[in-house]
Amino acid sequence: MGYTKERVKLEKLLAKLNGVSIYIEKSLDVLLHTHEEYSHTIRILKNKEPEVFTSHYTEELQAIKLAKKTLKESDTDLAKEENFNAYKEVITTALKKTINAALAIV
């Protein structure tokens, strides 16, 4: 019951990502905002239920940070596009896993 608010936030973030498809400044802003919101929300969930969400906090968040770093270090347009898609996929996967974990608690 206490996880519904955070789960709904995550579901809204996941819905926002559906509109992101190509590497442009606006799409990158959406990914960066989603990353920030996920980071904040997973921290809240980890503090409420550490046994369930600590692994998400450490593993999923670390994977997102690594994908962001890889995108930032991209040299060519092709590499940026590929790394942008990878960054989006990592965030999407993390959101889905965390939503499923929150649903499993109920």
Side-chain angles (χ1 to χ4, degrees), residues 33-72:
H33 174 73
T34 303
H35 177 180
E36 290 173 19
E37 287 297 315
Y38 176 77
S39 178
H40 176 73
T41 304
I42 195 65
R43 219 173 272 123
I44 291 169
L45 290 169
K46 179 186 72 89
N47 291 336
K48 286 184 176 182
E49 192 71 42
E51 297 82 26
V52 176
F53 294 106
T54 298
S55 65
H56 294 277
Y57 180 78
T58 56
E59 295 168 13
E60 304 301 330
L61 200 52
Q62 186 62 33
I64 293 171
K65 288 178 183 179
L66 181 61
K68 178 183 176 182
K69 180 181 176 190
T70 303
L71 173 61
K72 199 173 189 179

Side-chain angles (χ1 to χ4, degrees), residues 20-24 28 31 66-91:
V20 175
S21 59
I22 58 171
Y23 178 74
I24 58 174
L28 182 59
L31 286 183
L66 181 61
K68 178 183 176 182
K69 180 181 176 190
T70 303
L71 173 61
K72 199 173 189 179
E73 294 173 348
S74 300
D75 293 334
T76 66
D77 288 341
L78 179 61
K80 285 181 182 178
E81 186 70 40
E82 290 173 355
N83 292 327
F84 174 83
N85 290 328
Y87 184 40
K88 178 187 172 193
E89 187 60 36
V90 169
I91 293 173

